Amino acid sequence: MNKEHKGYGLLIGAGTYQDQEQSSLPVVCEDLKIMHAALTDGLKYHRDNIRILGETDGIVTGRSFARAISEFSQLLRPEDTFILYYSGHGIQDGLCFTDGTVNLGSIVDYIEKLPAGQKIAIIDCCYSGEARVSDVKEAPFEKLLSLFVGKGTAVLASSSPDERSWLTESEDASLYTSVVASVLCSRRMIRRGRISLNEVNEEVRYLMDIWNTDHPGWQQHPVFRENVIGDIAFEVEEYHPYVTQKISAETERYRLHSIKPMSTGNLKRFAAFVILKDPDDTLLPSVTREIVSQFKNSDVYASLQSEMRFKGRSADAVWCYFGRDAEDIDRSNHFAYTIWTDREDLKKRYYRENRNSEVVEGIYIFWNTSYELVKGLQQTSRPEEDVIRQYEELAALLISKAETFIKDYEEAENNAYGLYTVSSNYSGWIRDVKRAYFQLTEAEPAPAERIGWAESILNLAGWVVDIALYLERAGLADDIHAGWMLKNAISRYHRALEKLRQENRDVTTA
């Protein structure tokens, strides 16, 4: 079965009404053009996957809307994204169609039941901030990552429940539609070939704040609600990350596990990770020199910029990290490391005197006296499946805690009350997050084949506890800097969650 993701859109421009109390809205035709361009040019949706109602005359009946969205329900699959866009008149908790009104809550409820994994409603009308979504789903770790991360429903509404929505200064299009479309088409919003819905929302809020400052009599405050765990991302262009060259080698005395770039400034540097087969530690200087001789001209770089700067040059300095087996390398527990450089200025910088170090045959050697102790601590006393389960349970708890707060924080932004108000209700939440984080950091080491997976969990946990710390700081004073740091921590949490999902997919399919 073809699992290729597809994006679909239903664009509605209801600007002609039988109800004489409702004035016509000819701008909806322009709104539809603007949003169609945003989906096709910005999000790269295929034109054949977009249906438009009211394009020429603004006539959209409740029946034609129901028929159109029902047809999408037969077409959509769990891996797809569906966007509903509406431009027209709105009343309290209702959207106005040509022949009458439809309850906004019932529309959102129906959208939530569509089989697409990602559903987004963009509503541009007065009082649209009434729209709400269901609560976030809770699930065990494996199901949470495989079924719910990046999935769910989001609503972007043009104004708060008691506000009107305005036109642009030229009155040729709706203000909110124009702002959202400009953000969706902005090249500046693309990160690693993607556009993130949460980042789109932040940019839209920023631009609307500018409008509100410049137009105090025509203010409108967009509302954003979602029950997505993590973030929704739109793939808008091919992304080819820089791939560092992989180098390994093996001799009778040692196995070169890998080489990693460490270049900085104008210095070409790299680190070699070596498993010493021979128990004779006096071999370290000669092994180091052999590795330097064979690989100091290697093209190992962290980025294209670094490659362009250093390609064709020999290394200025090389670090060799030695372990007894592959697990030492995987767990970063090295019994010694050496440094080679043939530059006197770098020797003064890197060859630091220490009671655990010595220089032998021009090679700096540092002996890790804690190696055996750490190796012992890295051994687990419990069955591997129990250790993995503990990581999973704590990660699921922290994700649940983070999502609970993020949804509440979004609601605070929708209603424009301060962080202090939010934080006052979260003292117990902060304690729970800290406790789970410390339990995770004190857990026994994960199995060697899951080290990267465990590190991803710890990285995610770090951002969740940062959210707790910034929230705690905001509770002491309504601090604008704490607010900025909190938003940054939430953004980093979203990225860490996506990385964990990819890492979990790799270990479970290996």
Side-chain angles (χ1 to χ4, degrees):
M1 183 173 65
N2 181 15
K3 292 291 186 179
E4 180 186 359
H5 167 271
K6 291 183 179 180
Y8 294 91
L10 174 58
L11 311 184
I12 299 167
T16 301
Y17 307 94
Q18 294 175 359
D19 185 347
Q20 297 301 314
E21 293 185 4
Q22 298 285 7
S23 60
S24 63
L25 288 173
V27 296
V28 300
C29 296
E30 183 63 25
D31 287 347
L32 291 171
K33 293 178 184 177
I34 292 172
M35 190 54 63
H36 185 267
L39 265 58
T40 55
D41 298 339
L43 301 185
K44 307 303 179 185
Y45 276 28
H46 196 285
R47 292 176 181 272
D48 293 343
N49 293 343
I50 301 173
R51 183 169 179 185
I52 305 176
L53 302 182
E55 185 174 15
T56 57
D57 53 13
I59 296 176
V60 185
T61 65
R63 183 185 295 270
S64 64
F65 163 68
R67 186 185 305 115
I69 202 166
S70 178
E71 289 171 357
F72 275 104
S73 71
Q74 304 300 314
L75 179 66
L76 297 168
R77 305 164 303 166
E79 57 269 20
D80 295 332
T81 299
F82 173 73
I83 294 178
L84 170 71
Y85 166 76
Y86 172 88
S87 174
H89 278 307
I91 61 173
Q92 293 289 343
D93 201 27
L95 301 184
C96 299
F97 290 86
T98 297
D99 56 348
T101 62
V102 178
N103 179 267
L104 178 56
S106 65
I107 292 176
V108 175
D109 288 344
Y110 190 87
I111 292 172
E112 288 204 70
K113 293 180 175 65
L114 291 174
Q118 302 166 319
K119 285 89 63 171
I120 300 167
I122 303 173
I123 311 296
D124 192 348
C125 66
C126 298
Y127 320 118
S128 51
E130 290 281 0
R132 295 185 179 275
V133 296
S134 61
D135 293 335
V136 176
K137 296 182 176 68
E138 292 189 7
F141 178 82
E142 188 60 49
K143 190 174 182 181
L144 185 146
L145 288 189
S146 60
L147 296 181
F148 296 134
V149 171
K151 308 293 184 182
T153 304
V155 175
L156 291 84
S158 60
S159 57
S160 64
D162 58 351
E163 282 183 332
R164 295 182 60 185
S165 292
W166 303 98
L167 304 181
T168 60
E169 287 183 328
S170 58
E171 298 188 349
D172 57 352
S174 297
L175 170 64
Y176 184 71
T177 293
S178 300
V179 171
V180 171
S182 69
V183 173
L184 293 178
C185 291
S186 172
R187 299 288 301 173
R188 189 169 59 83
M189 299 302 299
I190 300 174
R191 305 282 190 276
R192 298 176 178 268
R194 294 178 162 197
I195 292 178
S196 156
L197 185 62
N198 277 277
E199 291 178 351
V200 166
N201 172 58
E202 284 298 318
E203 184 71 6
V204 168
R205 285 190 189 277
Y206 170 73
L207 294 175
M208 291 302 298
D209 284 344
I210 294 176
W211 166 273
N212 290 337
T213 300
D214 295 341
H215 304 80
W218 293 273
Q219 292 199 9
Q220 64 183 78
H221 299 85
V223 168
F224 178 70
R225 293 190 176 100
E226 44 89 17
N227 57 20
V228 181
I229 296 177
D231 200 357
I232 291 177
F234 304 96
E235 306 281 350
V236 298
E237 66 182 21
E238 287 190 29
Y239 173 66
H240 302 286
Y242 185 85
V243 178
T244 300
Q245 182 181 351
K246 298 186 184 307
I247 294 177
S248 60
E250 190 159 4
T251 71
E252 292 183 357
R253 299 191 299 171
Y254 66 89
R255 179 157 70 91
L256 177 60
H257 180 275
S258 59
I259 291 179
K260 294 183 180 179
M262 292 175 54
S263 297
T264 180
N266 290 318
L267 297 175
K268 181 176 181 179
R269 314 183 310 178
F270 65 78
F273 297 85
V274 187
I275 300 169
L276 193 65
K277 295 180 179 180
D278 195 311
D280 184 3
D281 293 347
T282 63
L283 296 174
L284 265 58
S286 62
V287 169
T288 299
R289 288 193 175 279
E290 184 175 334
I291 289 172
V292 170
S293 175
Q294 293 188 34
F295 300 104
K296 68 179 180 180
N297 295 317
S298 297
D299 292 320
V300 182
Y301 311 103
S303 66
L304 180 60
Q305 292 82 356
S306 182
E307 179 179 353
M308 294 173 64
R309 173 176 292 183
F310 296 112
K311 191 174 181 64
R313 278 180 50 178
S314 294
D316 298 293
V318 175
W319 278 252
C320 290
Y321 292 89
F322 289 90
R324 303 294 185 190
D325 51 42
E327 189 166 327
D328 284 349
I329 305 301
D330 291 337
R331 295 191 184 280
S332 300
N333 185 31
H334 313 109
F335 69 85
Y337 71 81
T338 61
I339 305 175
W340 167 90
T341 180
D342 58 2
R343 289 176 46 173
E344 292 303 319
D345 60 325
L346 295 183
K347 287 181 180 179
K348 291 179 181 179
R349 184 189 304 184
Y350 300 141
Y351 287 20
R352 297 175 181 174
E353 291 187 10
N354 187 289
R355 64 178 181 176
N356 297 325
S357 68
E358 58 182 323
V359 177
V360 180
E361 301 173 13
I363 302 296
Y364 178 87
I365 305 175
F366 181 88
W367 301 98
N368 179 12
T369 57
S370 301
Y371 168 75
E372 294 294 345
L373 174 63
V374 172
K375 194 170 183 68
L377 293 173
Q378 290 177 341
Q379 305 306 307
T380 58
S381 60
R382 300 163 57 196
E384 288 187 355
E385 58 268 22
D386 289 350
V387 176
I388 291 171
R389 189 180 303 112
Q390 183 182 17
Y391 274 84
E392 290 179 342
E393 290 174 353
L394 289 170
L397 174 63
L398 286 166
I399 292 169
S400 175
K401 291 290 183 182
E403 295 298 330
T404 298
F405 167 72
I406 290 170
K407 276 38 176 183
D408 203 5
Y409 178 62
E410 288 168 355
E411 200 59 38
E413 291 213 308
N414 290 337
N415 292 284
Y417 54 82
L419 273 178
Y420 181 82
T421 306
V422 180
S423 64
S424 62
N425 298 321
Y426 269 80
S427 57
W429 181 94
I430 292 170
R431 285 196 306 271
D432 290 344
V433 166
K434 288 181 178 179
R435 185 183 301 115
Y437 175 75
F438 287 127
Q439 287 177 337
L440 191 57
T441 57
E442 293 174 357
E444 293 195 24
E449 65 275 9
R450 287 202 177 223
I451 289 173
W453 173 85
E455 288 177 348
S456 292
I457 289 178
L458 286 166
N459 180 48
L460 178 137
W463 288 113
V464 179
V465 82
D466 274 359
I467 291 173
L469 295 173
Y470 295 141
L471 182 59
E472 192 172 42
R473 170 175 168 176
L476 302 176
D478 207 353
D479 187 341
I480 188 172
H481 299 295
W484 181 89
M485 291 186 291
L486 187 58
K487 288 183 179 181
N488 180 63
I490 292 172
S491 177
R492 299 297 291 269
Y493 157 77
H494 284 148
R495 296 178 206 171
L497 183 56
E498 180 58 35
K499 186 175 187 298
L500 174 58
R501 181 169 69 160
Q502 180 60 54
E503 193 77 42
N504 192 67
R505 186 185 299 124
D506 291 344
V507 299
T508 54
T509 58

